[in-house]
Amino acid sequence: MKKIVNALAIALALAGLSASVQAADYKPRIIRFGYGLAEDSNQGRAVKFFADDLAKRTGGKMKAKGFANASLGSDTQMQNALIGGAQEMMVGSTATLVGIVKDFGVYDLPFLFNNEKEADAVLDGPFGQKLIGKLQDKGLVGLVYWENGFRNLTNTKHPVAKLEDLQGIKLRVMQNPVYIDMFNSFGANAVPLPFSELFTALETKTVDGQENPVNTIQSSKFYEVQKYLSLTKHVYSPWIVLVSKKWWDGLSADEKKAIQESAAASRDFERKDSREAATKAVDFLKQKGMQVTVVSDAELGRMREKAKPAFDKFASEGGADLIKELQGEIAKVRK
Ligand code: TK8
């Protein structure tokens, strides 16, 4: 009897669900969703999750199609395609948005967040949402932050255990002044390049090293062309899921709601998946032959001191209040 009641309840729930899907105003839509990493990466898995979730919510009407490996362009190229309406969605680093909204550079200042919990609270809270709000005027709708992760250094020259070891190392950084200033002040020779050119630049030794979260070092196979990994966790790097405002403005309220709900679900999935993957990535990289250096807290403290010019410059160029506000929000979470 209980079984029959349960089956009935499920049937009714399903009927209700499909009735609400049918009643809702969804048009058949193809969403080109571009991203920089491989399909088999935390980024790729989360794009797939989003696509599946959105299809479920809309009875298959809204179809997101993932384009991996920057096949639609680098982060900045995709941002411009979204603004122009030539592409619907993307996910990429907040760091590459600074040409459009300078304030996003505040996340790139080193050693701000101590852990993921602090980052989640600030990004999902009023501070993170305020920055997202600034994209609207520029033709972009920011939906949610995903985790790229704490960034670590790799290179081919020698182990980096202290600041002096970075001297003269040609290090690829993202196209973002905070990163350029930071690594130059560490003594490296910072070379800004789009991510889509990075593997080749490492392979041909155009640069000696790069910095990215361990998940990306794994999924982009940087272990094939890099020998030394230093666990520095110098910056917590967010990804941001973006929509073309031009396209968004033409959607029905139901369509917008479905996308927002799928984005929120994908955020929760992505953070959990990334954190699980990160716990295994260092061992994987060791197995692949990378030599891992744990950088001491004392050395990280010296790096933090050295990075002061990057803070000062960001502050003097109009970012002083923003830094204070962000530090205030982090302090609130620490209490
Ligand atoms: C992927 C990039 C990547 C970032 C970088 O498109 O460029 O180093 O960490 O995740 O956004």
Side-chain angles (χ1 to χ4, degrees):
M1 183 61 191
K2 210 169 160 208
K3 259 191 195 155
I4 297 175
V5 173
N6 275 343
L8 224 117
I10 290 168
L12 282 173
L14 282 178
L17 194 73
S18 75
S20 75
V21 164
Q22 271 159 24
D25 179 12
Y26 302 128
K27 290 200 179 63
R29 307 251 183 208
I30 304 282
I31 302 170
R32 284 160 294 181
F33 193 152
Y35 57 101
L37 301 195
E39 207 175 318
D40 183 15
S41 67
N42 51 338
Q43 206 174 42
R45 290 189 293 272
V47 169
K48 184 171 184 310
F49 178 97
F50 173 87
D52 291 346
D53 190 87
L54 185 64
K56 251 183 254 157
R57 265 175 224 280
T58 63
K61 288 247 177 86
M62 301 185 83
K63 289 194 174 70
K65 187 170 171 3
F67 289 86
N69 297 310
S71 57
L72 296 183
S74 66
D75 281 9
T76 51
Q77 286 168 333
M78 289 195 287
Q79 289 157 15
N80 287 322
L82 261 57
I83 291 169
Q87 181 183 331
E88 292 75 31
M89 285 184 74
M90 67 169 286
V91 58
S93 283
T94 52
T96 54
L97 271 176
V98 292
I100 295 168
V101 175
K102 208 174 155 210
D103 286 2
F104 277 99
V106 76
Y107 295 135
D108 305 312
L109 294 164
F111 305 110
L112 289 173
F113 296 104
N114 285 336
N115 54 53
E116 290 85 357
K117 197 177 142 245
E118 292 178 4
D120 290 355
V122 172
L123 294 168
D124 299 345
F127 185 91
Q129 299 313 301
K130 189 174 94 175
L131 255 58
I132 279 187
K134 295 191 180 190
L135 291 164
Q136 287 263 353
D137 286 349
K138 309 287 182 180
L140 295 169
V141 177
L143 294 179
V144 286
Y145 294 101
W146 288 356
E147 172 157 299
N148 187 353
F150 279 103
R151 304 180 77 90
N152 299 290
L153 280 170
T154 68
N155 85 96
T156 56
K157 291 262 169 179
H158 50 239
V160 173
K162 54 183 189 310
L163 262 175
E164 287 71 16
D165 300 331
L166 270 172
Q167 198 64 43
I169 290 204
K170 263 190 278 167
L171 193 88
R172 177 272 177 175
V173 294
M174 289 190 277
Q175 294 155 296
N176 170 302
V178 177
Y179 278 93
I180 299 171
D181 294 342
M182 173 178 14
F183 281 99
N184 284 337
S185 70
F186 290 164
N189 181 358
V191 183
L193 278 179
F195 186 83
S196 45
E197 290 170 28
L198 180 50
F199 188 90
T200 307
L202 293 169
E203 195 176 32
T204 57
K205 303 212 160 48
T206 307
V207 292
D208 307 313
Q210 64 86 43
E211 45 86 53
N212 253 299
V214 284
N215 283 333
T216 300
I217 298 168
Q218 172 170 352
S219 62
S220 296
K221 299 190 163 58
F222 291 157
Y223 53 84
E224 289 180 356
V225 287
Q226 296 280 275
K227 177 72 186 168
Y228 304 103
L229 166 63
S230 294
L231 301 176
T232 48
K233 296 177 96 182
H234 48 276
V235 176
Y236 178 87
S237 177
W239 279 326
I240 185 167
V241 178
L242 298 170
V243 184
S244 159
K245 181 151 191 307
K246 241 187 189 168
W247 179 73
W248 181 256
D249 287 344
L251 299 180
S252 71
D254 288 334
E255 290 171 331
K256 288 178 184 167
K257 187 162 168 273
I259 291 180
Q260 267 157 340
E261 286 172 353
S262 291
S266 73
R267 173 196 58 208
D268 298 343
F269 166 84
E270 194 272 349
R271 285 179 180 161
K272 192 163 173 283
D273 177 58
S274 292
R275 286 163 197 176
E276 272 168 25
T279 62
K280 297 175 208 144
V282 175
D283 278 339
F284 175 91
L285 295 171
K286 276 184 193 162
Q287 271 168 30
K288 291 289 177 184
M290 288 195 92
Q291 189 177 316
V292 180
T293 304
V294 180
V295 181
S296 71
D297 286 344
E299 275 307 317
L300 295 177
R302 286 181 71 213
M303 290 174 92
R304 185 194 297 257
E305 272 302 301
K306 267 276 181 202
K308 219 179 150 283
F311 276 82
D312 293 345
K313 192 169 154 213
F314 191 81
S316 74
E317 288 174 355
D321 289 345
L322 202 64
I323 296 179
K324 254 192 228 136
E325 206 182 318
L326 176 54
Q327 285 171 332
E329 289 297 315
I330 296 173
K332 272 192 217 160
V333 189
R334 280 182 194 159
K335 261 196 213 141

Short mmCIF file of all heavy atoms in Angstrom, two decimals, residues 36-37 43 75 92-93 148 151 172 174 195 211-213 239, ligand 1:
data_model
loop_
_atom_site.label_atom_id
_atom_site.label_comp_id
_atom_site.label_asym_id
_atom_site.label_seq_id
_atom_site.Cartn_x
_atom_site.Cartn_y
_atom_site.Cartn_z
N GLY A 36 37.75 28.43 -21.20
CA GLY A 36 39.15 28.33 -21.59
C GLY A 36 39.81 26.98 -21.35
O GLY A 36 40.76 26.61 -22.05
N LEU A 37 39.33 26.24 -20.37
CA LEU A 37 40.02 25.00 -20.00
C LEU A 37 39.49 23.82 -20.82
O LEU A 37 38.59 23.96 -21.63
CB LEU A 37 39.84 24.72 -18.50
CG LEU A 37 40.33 25.77 -17.50
CD1 LEU A 37 40.41 25.16 -16.11
CD2 LEU A 37 41.66 26.36 -17.88
N GLN A 43 36.22 23.17 -14.78
CA GLN A 43 35.41 24.14 -15.53
C GLN A 43 34.48 23.41 -16.51
O GLN A 43 33.28 23.71 -16.57
CB GLN A 43 36.37 25.07 -16.31
CG GLN A 43 35.82 26.44 -16.60
CD GLN A 43 36.85 27.35 -17.23
OE1 GLN A 43 37.62 26.94 -18.11
NE2 GLN A 43 36.89 28.60 -16.81
N ASP A 75 39.55 34.59 -22.89
CA ASP A 75 38.60 35.25 -21.97
C ASP A 75 38.18 36.62 -22.50
O ASP A 75 36.99 36.93 -22.58
CB ASP A 75 39.23 35.42 -20.58
CG ASP A 75 39.21 34.13 -19.74
OD1 ASP A 75 38.88 33.06 -20.28
OD2 ASP A 75 39.54 34.21 -18.53
N GLY A 92 34.98 32.58 -17.09
CA GLY A 92 36.41 32.88 -17.13
C GLY A 92 36.82 33.57 -15.85
O GLY A 92 35.99 33.80 -14.97
N SER A 93 38.09 33.91 -15.78
CA SER A 93 38.60 34.55 -14.56
C SER A 93 38.09 35.97 -14.43
O SER A 93 38.02 36.70 -15.41
CB SER A 93 40.13 34.58 -14.61
OG SER A 93 40.63 33.32 -14.29
N ASN A 148 37.92 29.21 -9.23
CA ASN A 148 39.10 28.82 -9.99
C ASN A 148 40.03 28.21 -8.94
O ASN A 148 40.36 27.03 -9.01
CB ASN A 148 39.69 30.06 -10.68
CG ASN A 148 40.82 29.77 -11.64
OD1 ASN A 148 41.28 28.64 -11.73
ND2 ASN A 148 41.30 30.77 -12.34
N ARG A 151 46.01 30.11 -6.27
CA ARG A 151 47.00 29.96 -7.34
C ARG A 151 48.37 29.57 -6.79
O ARG A 151 48.77 30.01 -5.72
CB ARG A 151 47.09 31.25 -8.16
CG ARG A 151 45.74 31.66 -8.73
CD ARG A 151 45.81 32.93 -9.55
NE ARG A 151 46.36 32.73 -10.87
CZ ARG A 151 45.64 32.42 -11.95
NH1 ARG A 151 44.34 32.28 -11.88
NH2 ARG A 151 46.23 32.27 -13.12
N ARG A 172 54.63 33.70 -17.03
CA ARG A 172 53.37 34.15 -17.64
C ARG A 172 52.38 34.52 -16.54
O ARG A 172 52.19 33.77 -15.57
CB ARG A 172 52.78 33.04 -18.50
CG ARG A 172 51.42 33.40 -19.11
CD ARG A 172 50.25 33.05 -18.19
NE ARG A 172 48.96 33.45 -18.74
CZ ARG A 172 47.79 33.17 -18.16
NH1 ARG A 172 47.75 32.49 -17.04
NH2 ARG A 172 46.66 33.56 -18.71
N MET A 174 48.27 36.54 -16.01
CA MET A 174 47.06 36.94 -16.73
C MET A 174 47.21 38.39 -17.17
O MET A 174 48.05 39.12 -16.67
CB MET A 174 45.84 36.76 -15.83
CG MET A 174 45.50 35.29 -15.60
SD MET A 174 43.91 35.06 -14.78
CE MET A 174 44.37 35.28 -13.06
N PHE A 195 45.41 32.82 -21.58
CA PHE A 195 45.56 31.42 -21.19
C PHE A 195 45.66 30.51 -22.40
O PHE A 195 46.40 29.52 -22.39
CB PHE A 195 44.36 31.01 -20.31
CG PHE A 195 44.51 29.62 -19.76
CD1 PHE A 195 45.25 29.40 -18.61
CD2 PHE A 195 43.93 28.54 -20.39
CE1 PHE A 195 45.41 28.12 -18.11
CE2 PHE A 195 44.09 27.25 -19.89
CZ PHE A 195 44.82 27.04 -18.75
N GLU A 211 51.46 30.55 -13.22
CA GLU A 211 50.82 30.33 -11.93
C GLU A 211 49.33 30.10 -12.13
O GLU A 211 48.69 30.81 -12.88
CB GLU A 211 51.13 31.48 -10.96
CG GLU A 211 51.01 32.88 -11.50
CD GLU A 211 49.59 33.39 -11.41
OE1 GLU A 211 49.00 33.34 -10.32
OE2 GLU A 211 49.07 33.83 -12.44
N ASN A 212 48.84 29.03 -11.50
CA ASN A 212 47.44 28.64 -11.62
C ASN A 212 47.11 27.66 -10.49
O ASN A 212 48.01 27.09 -9.87
CB ASN A 212 47.17 27.96 -12.98
CG ASN A 212 46.39 28.85 -13.93
OD1 ASN A 212 45.25 29.24 -13.65
ND2 ASN A 212 47.00 29.20 -15.04
N PRO A 213 45.83 27.45 -10.22
CA PRO A 213 45.47 26.44 -9.22
C PRO A 213 45.91 25.03 -9.63
O PRO A 213 46.03 24.75 -10.83
CB PRO A 213 43.94 26.54 -9.15
CG PRO A 213 43.63 27.92 -9.64
CD PRO A 213 44.66 28.20 -10.70
N TRP A 239 36.28 32.46 -10.71
CA TRP A 239 35.73 32.51 -12.05
C TRP A 239 34.38 33.18 -11.96
O TRP A 239 33.74 33.17 -10.89
CB TRP A 239 35.53 31.09 -12.62
CG TRP A 239 36.77 30.46 -13.16
CD1 TRP A 239 37.80 31.07 -13.80
CD2 TRP A 239 37.08 29.05 -13.15
NE1 TRP A 239 38.73 30.13 -14.18
CE2 TRP A 239 38.32 28.91 -13.80
CE3 TRP A 239 36.43 27.93 -12.66
CZ2 TRP A 239 38.93 27.67 -13.97
CZ3 TRP A 239 37.03 26.68 -12.82
CH2 TRP A 239 38.27 26.56 -13.48
C1 TK8 B 1 40.69 30.16 -18.34
C2 TK8 B 1 41.47 31.19 -17.50
C3 TK8 B 1 42.25 30.51 -16.40
C4 TK8 B 1 43.05 31.51 -15.59
C5 TK8 B 1 44.32 31.94 -16.32
O1 TK8 B 1 40.18 30.77 -19.46
O2 TK8 B 1 44.23 32.60 -17.34
O3 TK8 B 1 45.42 31.64 -15.85
O4 TK8 B 1 43.39 30.97 -14.35
O5 TK8 B 1 41.35 29.85 -15.57
O6 TK8 B 1 40.54 32.11 -16.97
#
